Amino acid sequence: MTFPKLKHRFHSPLSILDGYIIRNFLGTYVFAIALILAITIIFDINEKLDSFLEAPLKATVFDYFLNFLPYFANKFSPLFVFIAVIFFTSKLAGNSEIIAMLSSGMSFRRLLRPYLVSAAIIAIATYILSAYIIPPANVKRIAYYNTYVKNKRVDYGDNIMMQVGPGQIAYMNRYDNISKVGYRFSLDQFKDKKLVSRLQAQSIRWDTLYRWQVRDYVIREFKGNREVISKGYSLDTIIPFEPRDFLISKNDEEELTMPQLVEYIDRQRQRGMANIQTFEIEYHRRYAMCAAAFILTVIGMALSSKKVKGGMGINIGIGLLLSFSYILFMTVTSAFAVSGMTSPFVAMWIPNVIYTIIAVLLYFKASR
């Protein structure tokens, strides 16, 4: 394949050749997703067949699979990016098209441009999906999983204590999320490190948002040396907390859009809650996955831009090894963050930093 007068076309931001590379890159990316998703569906049906037979077909199709497939594709987007780059670039190199491009005056850095444009498109799509579109879909998917496959929802809590507002400390001996009732509740109000009031109730029922109803309550107000006591059977009140603030189930962070996730993390930090590592990890992971699209694109392009004796198979094998090692590395560092050995930010960005160094080294080696 030859590229006549190619030198004169490189001054434009994107040439016909760029469009050719971008179309093939993104087309291969979509094809890789479709192929692996088809295999995933088969394995998933085989693994959860008993649960699928018990659940309504409509719920299985629309609540589970239509929401699971975008979630899976987006979660393993770095793998699909790597496969697409390795496969498409190896094909170009095997047909001597890259040699023709470079011999026509195109620099290796210029050749990388359409790859980075494609990576930018994938990164933007990945962020929009993970930040705004997939979280609402995960609500239905996780609800289906908890109902028909395996319930991982946390419905009970014991000895719950948290700061619900400035100087306000709430305590519940036990909370039942099925009946929405908490038992042996107290709410202490402090001012200048002094207790100014205390509400105690035998039970408290959650309504909606921050609306709670306390039963069999006693309110003590401390005014200097005086104590004012008031009692009652039922009282509707506003207390700025809700069950999801203290009943944290696995994968709850995946149900929050980016604005909701930021709001939740900020609110829990103000309350002094310590068990929010998974939410902070999810926050940083969404950004780290976008950066991974660029890093793995450069690595894949640098690895597969030259002909090798073993053909495309060796490049694909190396690509799969590196992409799986990246995902494994990110999983391991996430576990370190959950255990408190490192911060969520460091845990999510260490793989990107290390693989960026690898990408730079491979790029300079391939460009020689």
Side-chain angles (χ1 to χ4, degrees):
M1 184 174 182
T2 60
F3 302 93
K5 299 181 181 180
L6 209 52
K7 287 184 179 181
H8 304 291
R9 299 182 182 183
F10 293 156
H11 299 290
S12 62
L14 289 177
S15 64
I16 296 176
L17 181 59
D18 293 327
Y20 169 75
I21 293 176
I22 291 171
R23 285 194 304 272
N24 280 274
F25 184 174
L26 297 180
T28 307
Y29 174 76
V30 173
F31 176 76
I33 289 177
L35 180 62
I36 295 179
L37 286 183
I39 298 172
T40 302
I41 290 174
I42 295 173
F43 279 99
D44 203 46
I45 291 175
N46 183 63
E47 181 184 356
K48 303 182 180 73
L49 183 60
D50 292 339
S51 301
F52 292 155
L53 291 176
E54 294 178 3
L57 179 61
K58 182 179 179 181
T60 301
V61 174
F62 292 99
D63 292 344
Y64 182 73
F65 276 112
L66 284 185
N67 297 315
F68 169 75
L69 296 180
Y71 163 79
F72 183 89
N74 198 62
K75 185 173 184 178
F76 292 95
S77 180
L79 172 63
F80 302 135
V81 169
F82 221 35
I83 291 175
V85 174
I86 292 288
F87 184 84
F88 168 62
T89 310
S90 295
K91 188 176 179 181
L92 288 180
N95 294 334
S96 300
E97 293 179 69
I98 291 181
I99 294 175
M101 297 177 201
L102 297 176
S103 62
S104 300
M106 176 184 282
S107 66
F108 194 82
R109 183 175 64 180
R110 179 60 182 83
L111 177 61
L112 186 62
R113 183 187 297 180
Y115 284 89
L116 294 181
V117 171
S118 302
I121 294 172
I122 293 172
I124 293 171
T126 298
Y127 179 77
I128 293 173
L129 285 169
S130 62
Y132 298 102
I133 297 176
I134 291 179
N138 281 340
V139 174
K140 295 181 179 180
R141 177 182 64 83
I142 293 174
Y144 176 95
Y145 190 92
N146 290 336
T147 302
Y148 299 107
V149 183
K150 184 178 180 180
N151 187 10
K152 295 184 178 181
R153 184 173 54 242
V154 176
D155 289 322
Y156 302 96
D158 295 310
N159 295 320
I160 301 162
M161 178 180 288
M162 64 186 303
Q163 180 176 308
V164 298
Q168 287 185 314
I169 306 297
Y171 172 80
M172 269 186 285
N173 178 259
R174 179 174 173 79
Y175 183 80
D176 182 347
N177 198 40
I178 297 176
S179 62
K180 309 297 181 185
V181 175
Y183 302 94
R184 295 178 61 187
F185 174 78
S186 68
L187 179 66
D188 294 340
Q189 177 70 54
F190 293 87
K191 186 176 182 181
D192 298 328
K193 299 183 179 180
K194 292 182 179 181
L195 182 64
V196 295
S197 69
R198 169 174 288 173
L199 182 152
Q200 292 178 296
Q202 290 299 314
S203 66
I204 181 171
R205 179 185 293 274
W206 180 62
D207 185 5
T208 53
L209 293 177
Y210 295 153
R211 296 180 62 87
W212 295 84
Q213 183 183 68
V214 294
R215 296 288 184 91
D216 296 327
Y217 68 90
V218 177
I219 300 177
R220 290 182 169 86
E221 297 181 84
F222 305 98
K223 300 180 179 180
N225 295 326
R226 295 177 55 223
E227 180 180 353
V228 179
I229 300 177
S230 57
K231 301 181 179 180
Y233 173 70
S234 178
L235 175 66
D236 291 329
T237 184
I238 301 294
I239 306 176
F241 78 121
E242 51 188 330
R244 72 171 185 172
D245 291 332
F246 52 85
L247 294 181
I248 300 176
S249 304
K250 186 177 181 181
N251 301 325
D252 275 358
E253 69 280 0
E254 296 177 351
E255 298 181 3
L256 301 178
T257 63
M258 206 59 163
Q260 292 171 338
L261 188 60
V262 171
E263 179 187 359
Y264 182 87
I265 292 173
D266 290 341
R267 188 170 67 245
Q268 295 298 78
R269 282 176 179 169
Q270 292 172 2
R271 291 171 174 170
M273 300 296 289
N275 57 342
I276 59 171
Q277 291 92 339
T278 55
F279 294 86
E280 293 176 317
I281 289 171
E282 177 66 16
Y283 172 80
H284 293 294
R285 186 190 67 82
R286 293 179 184 181
Y287 287 110
M289 294 290 279
C290 296
F294 294 96
I295 298 167
L296 297 180
T297 293
V298 174
I299 293 176
M301 190 268 191
L303 279 175
S304 54
S305 59
K306 294 184 179 180
K307 276 187 177 182
V308 292
K309 291 183 178 180
M312 189 184 301
I314 293 179
N315 287 336
I316 293 177
I318 295 173
L320 289 174
L321 178 63
L322 282 173
S323 57
F324 278 120
S325 67
Y326 175 84
I327 295 172
L328 178 62
F329 194 10
M330 186 167 283
T331 303
V332 171
T333 54
S334 298
F336 288 158
V338 171
S339 64
M341 296 178 64
T342 184
S343 69
F345 174 81
V346 172
M348 287 296 97
W349 284 95
I350 276 182
N352 280 351
V353 171
I354 292 176
Y355 277 76
T356 296
I357 296 172
I358 296 174
V360 171
L361 295 175
L362 289 175
Y363 168 78
F364 282 112
K365 181 179 179 181
S367 61
R368 292 195 185 113

